[in-house]
């Protein structure tokens, strides 16, 4: 089950990027301890509740495929704390709008990871990380995520591991007027040319573990993920995501061949 926690203390915003995530201390129900979370506030996402749902669904799906994802949580921001945050934002109209307009209530967050290094632009992928990098590339192709690019990696590293985050723009097939009937074919997916690993994984083998997990991805698993989405965030997108994943699972071997071809 996905953790549901309440924000108790505001610390700071992380930069001035598009979504302006913030660090909060949060408390689990019935617990006296707190943990720090990076919180994506609903008011900062282009797609609002849908973006929150994509974040949570992609985090669960990424964990299923063996990717390292910061532990996700549903974060309750109450009015009193929102007022405290607003009191710190004098002169920052954008962040004030994010908090004031629509961020009281449920938001998406991930546990704050210490010692996580942001992936540098144009960094070569060392041997121990190549299998993980192929999984990241395949995962983004699977969920049609155009937002992990060469100059905006949305990726971190720690020791011999890669951590993925920022998936509010994933599942881009949902925006297509005429969705592809063969989404496992990647020849026309131009966003993959801009992927952070598009030029760094030439001739690296496809992950057999990823292929097996995609082949085994069942309707029961994807429906379970959908059930974890809060009612306030649900839309008709979820059945379409499940259908997309079912089709990709059915054509898992062909998808793997397409990924290998793109990376050749």
């Amino acid at each position: 089950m996905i953790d549901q926690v309440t924000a108790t203390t505001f610390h700071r915003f992380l930069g001035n990027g598009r979504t302006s995530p913030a660090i909060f201390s949060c408390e689990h129900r019935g617990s006296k301890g707190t943990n720090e979370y990076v919180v994506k506030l609903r008011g900062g996402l282009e797609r609002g509740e849908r973006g929150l749902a994509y974040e949570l669904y992609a985090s669960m799906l990424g964990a299923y495929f063996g990717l390292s994802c910061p532990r996700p949580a549903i974060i309750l921001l109450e009015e009193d704390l929102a007022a405290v945050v607003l009191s710190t934002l004098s002169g920052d109209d954008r962040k004030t709008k994010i908090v004031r307009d629509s961020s009281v209530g449920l938001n998406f967050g991930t546990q704050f990871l210490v010692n996580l290094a942001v992936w540098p632009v144009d960094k070569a992928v060392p041997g121990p990380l190549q299998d993980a990098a192929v999984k990241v590339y395949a995962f983004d192709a699977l969920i049609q995520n155009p937002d992990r690019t060469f100059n905006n990696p949305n990726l971190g590293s720690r020791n011999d591991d890669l951590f993925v985050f920022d998936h509010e723009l994933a599942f881009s097939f949902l925006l297509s007027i005429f969705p592809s009937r063969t989404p496992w074919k990647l020849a026309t997916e131009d966003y993959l040319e801009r992927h952070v690993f598009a030029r760094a994984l030439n001739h690296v083998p496809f992950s057999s573990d990823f292929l097996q997990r995609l082949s085994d991805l069942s309707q029961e698993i994807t429906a379970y993920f959908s059930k974890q989405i809060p009612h306030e965030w649900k839309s008709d997108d979820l059945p379409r995501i499940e259908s997309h994943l079912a089709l990709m699972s059915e054509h898992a071997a062909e998808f793997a061949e397409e990924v290998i071809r793109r990376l050749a």
Side-chain angles (χ1 to χ4, degrees), residues 6 8-9 11 25-28 31-37 111:
T6 300
T8 57
T9 306
H11 295 291
S25 288
C26 299
E27 184 177 276
H28 290 250
S31 171
K32 295 182 180 179
T34 62
N35 290 299
E36 289 188 356
Y37 288 82
Q111 217 163 8

Side-chain angles (χ1 to χ4, degrees), residues 224-238:
Y224 173 80
F225 294 157
S226 294
K227 288 179 181 177
Q228 305 308 302
I229 306 297
H231 176 75
E232 297 92 327
W233 303 353
K234 287 188 175 178
S235 69
D236 58 2
D237 289 346
L238 294 177

Side-chain angles (χ1 to χ4, degrees), residues 64-261:
Y64 168 83
F65 279 106
L67 277 68
S68 292
C69 306
R71 184 177 177 86
I74 298 166
I75 314 289
L76 173 63
L77 176 63
E78 297 178 312
E79 288 188 13
D80 289 350
L81 184 54
V84 171
V85 178
L86 286 171
S87 71
T88 71
L89 295 176
S90 176
D92 193 327
D93 294 340
R94 183 177 182 279
K95 292 188 177 72
T96 295
K97 181 176 176 59
I98 287 173
V99 177
R100 183 189 61 215
D101 285 2
S102 58
S103 293
V104 170
L106 300 182
N107 297 274
F108 173 80
T110 55
Q111 217 163 8
F112 181 69
L113 298 179
V114 297
N115 301 323
L116 187 67
V118 175
W119 191 261
V121 172
D122 210 20
K123 177 179 172 64
V125 182
L129 288 179
Q130 287 186 349
D131 185 65
V134 168
K135 287 183 178 180
V136 171
Y137 183 91
F139 180 67
D140 289 329
L142 175 69
I143 64 173
Q144 292 193 12
N145 175 30
D147 199 31
R148 202 177 331 275
T149 62
F150 179 73
N151 57 3
N152 183 38
N154 287 329
L155 186 74
S157 63
R158 188 171 65 183
N159 300 324
D160 286 335
D161 206 356
L162 295 175
F163 290 81
V164 294
F165 43 81
D166 284 354
H167 297 103
E168 75 272 7
L169 298 183
F171 309 109
S172 56
F173 58 86
L174 295 168
L175 300 177
S176 178
I177 298 175
F178 301 107
S180 171
R181 296 182 180 180
T182 57
W184 61 89
K185 295 184 178 180
L186 305 178
T188 60
E189 301 300 320
D190 293 342
Y191 66 89
L192 290 175
E193 296 178 6
R194 302 184 296 274
H195 193 274
V196 61
F197 293 138
R199 292 178 280 182
L201 295 173
N202 290 348
H203 305 295
V204 176
F206 192 85
S207 168
S208 58
D209 176 67
F210 192 101
L211 176 58
Q212 187 62 55
R213 293 185 191 219
L214 181 56
S215 300
D216 293 341
L217 184 61
S218 66
Q219 184 178 359
E220 289 74 20
I221 293 171
T222 57
Y224 173 80
F225 294 157
S226 294
K227 288 179 181 177
Q228 305 308 302
I229 306 297
H231 176 75
E232 297 92 327
W233 303 353
K234 287 188 175 178
S235 69
D236 58 2
D237 289 346
L238 294 177
R240 295 175 63 191
I241 290 172
E242 292 180 30
S243 296
H244 170 82
L245 293 173
L247 194 58
M248 298 297 271
S249 177
E250 183 180 346
H251 295 273
E254 293 162 89
F255 170 74
E257 292 174 359
E258 290 283 323
V259 170
I260 292 169
R261 190 174 296 114

